[in-house]
Amino acid sequence: MSALDFYAHVAVGGEVLGVGLGAGPEAWEAALGATCLDVPGGGLLRRDYGLVDINFSPDRPGRQGQMSCLGFGVKIHRLLYDQSPSTVPSPLSREYGRFAPRVPFKDLQNAILALGHTIELDKHTTSSDMDCYRVSASAARIHVVADPDPYGSGDPDLHGHQRGDVWSVDVW
């Protein structure tokens, strides 16, 4: 399996190594390991694993002190500037191999189509610098760079993000 297979699986299945929405921090830790940065605030918890960012909220009343995942994202854009071994959790590297710093949307789109799903532009969340696509029968959104120079500096980073690069795959 490849990193592209991983991204397509997240976009279609809405989970990472068997863990997804509704799972608690312990389940995510069992899947991705204990090496992460916890960022609490406002009663919520954001757990940063580098490539994968997870957001937790308190569970329903009666389950005092327990939290569950309300959304997570695979932040592919982080790989372009941080290729240290800790950016990709080791369980993902073991399962999917090397993660390239850039993923062309067309490649991910083809992988998702091969899994029998469709993708459509979400006109309500698309902006001038980022396109947003919805995956059929999934809670996933794929954000794609539409304008690598959104502020018009005229000095694009030739080694930075390019039009058509996948920025992230987010599940909410």
Side-chain angles (χ1 to χ4, degrees):
M1 298 185 96
S2 69
L4 185 61
D5 294 324
F6 168 69
Y7 299 135
H9 179 78
V10 170
V12 168
E15 54 96 6
V16 173
L17 298 176
V19 184
L21 297 175
E26 303 80 19
W28 281 93
E29 185 172 320
L32 294 177
T35 305
C36 63
L37 174 66
D38 281 346
V39 183
L44 304 175
L45 172 66
R46 183 175 68 85
R47 181 163 280 180
D48 185 345
Y49 280 96
L51 178 63
V52 181
D53 217 33
I54 308 147
N55 294 283
F56 299 96
S57 67
D59 274 345
R60 300 177 299 275
R63 292 184 50 164
Q64 194 83 12
Q66 295 185 4
M67 300 189 94
S68 61
C69 173
L70 64 99
F72 68 92
V74 178
K75 308 301 184 180
I76 301 165
H77 64 274
R78 293 179 176 174
L79 296 174
L80 193 59
Y81 298 107
D82 185 359
Q83 295 181 24
S84 63
S86 63
T87 303
V88 176
S90 56
L92 290 178
S93 294
R94 283 193 300 272
E95 182 75 19
Y96 295 100
R98 183 181 168 278
F99 282 72
R102 178 173 275 119
V103 176
F105 174 66
K106 287 292 182 194
D107 293 351
L108 180 56
Q109 182 180 34
N110 289 336
I112 291 169
L113 292 173
L115 293 172
H117 288 259
T118 60
I119 298 174
E120 64 183 52
L121 184 66
D122 185 346
K123 295 176 183 162
H124 299 292
T125 55
T126 290
S127 65
S128 62
D129 62 332
M130 197 72 61
D131 289 332
C132 180
Y133 293 88
R134 294 179 47 217
V135 179
S136 65
S138 169
R141 299 291 185 271
I142 301 169
H143 294 91
V144 179
V145 175
D147 183 356
D149 184 22
Y151 304 109
S153 68
D155 189 23
D157 179 357
L158 298 178
H159 303 289
H161 297 289
Q162 305 295 314
R163 178 184 306 273
D165 283 351
V166 177
W167 183 264
S168 66
V169 178
D170 299 297
V171 178
W172 292 92

